[in-house]
Amino acid sequence: MIELGIVDLSAEGRRRMTALVERWAWTSPDTRVTLPRISVHSLSPEEIRFHGSLDVCVIGPELIGCDAAYVNTIRARLPDKILLAVLDSRSYSFGLIEQLGRMGIDDVLIDSATSDELDRKSTRLNSSHANI
């Protein structure tokens, strides 16, 4: 089972991100076979320090939009975990993706991504982190 933490500023933002991740994970019957079971934890940025056992941390667009530099703090608290940033299509830019990469984000998804994209990225990231 994958322990997945969803981090965003507001409870509403975390609720939207949780619904988005659940939609990605359970949209098609084929996806259910390839993706492992996921345990989702909805966390405020301050709660990350109590959840070091996360396998993947998904950072929502509210947090990225308000304080992208906070990614450095998350990376310091979860140094060996997978960090995914979810951007909304309005804030998506190559400059922002480059900045997030320098801060330690492993990959970026856009909120309009499909479950197949999440499956491909999860598989690639899990295999690359297993080799470290």
Side-chain angles (χ1 to χ4, degrees):
M1 180 175 301
I2 294 178
E3 296 290 326
L4 187 135
I6 295 177
V7 179
D8 215 345
L9 290 179
S10 69
E12 178 63 22
R14 292 187 294 273
R15 187 197 61 74
R16 279 193 310 267
M17 288 301 306
T18 300
L20 186 62
V21 167
E22 288 173 350
R23 183 187 59 143
W24 284 336
W26 307 116
T27 297
S28 72
D30 298 336
T31 305
R32 287 185 218 162
V33 174
T34 58
L35 284 176
R37 290 185 51 194
I38 298 172
S39 175
V40 177
H41 305 275
S42 179
L43 307 169
S44 70
E46 296 80 22
E47 291 175 313
I48 293 172
R49 73 179 81 156
F50 305 114
H51 293 276
S53 65
L54 296 175
D55 298 308
V56 178
C57 181
V58 178
I59 303 168
E62 282 182 10
L63 181 59
I64 299 292
C66 287
D67 188 8
Y70 196 78
V71 170
N72 289 322
T73 303
I74 295 172
R75 176 48 76 197
R77 290 188 176 148
L78 303 171
D80 57 343
K81 308 302 179 181
I82 297 171
L83 297 185
L84 288 174
V86 177
L87 303 176
D88 59 20
S89 50
R90 295 183 318 260
S91 64
Y92 177 84
S93 72
F94 290 117
L96 179 58
I97 292 172
E98 181 181 352
Q99 178 186 11
L100 292 171
R102 280 185 262 125
M103 287 188 244
I105 291 290
D106 293 300
D107 213 334
V108 174
L109 283 167
I110 299 183
D111 60 0
S112 60
T114 65
S115 58
D116 291 337
E117 290 175 78
L118 177 65
D119 185 31
R120 281 193 305 272
K121 289 181 186 244
S122 297
T123 303
R124 182 179 56 80
L125 288 171
N126 281 328
S127 64
S128 68
H129 274 262
N131 295 330
I132 296 177

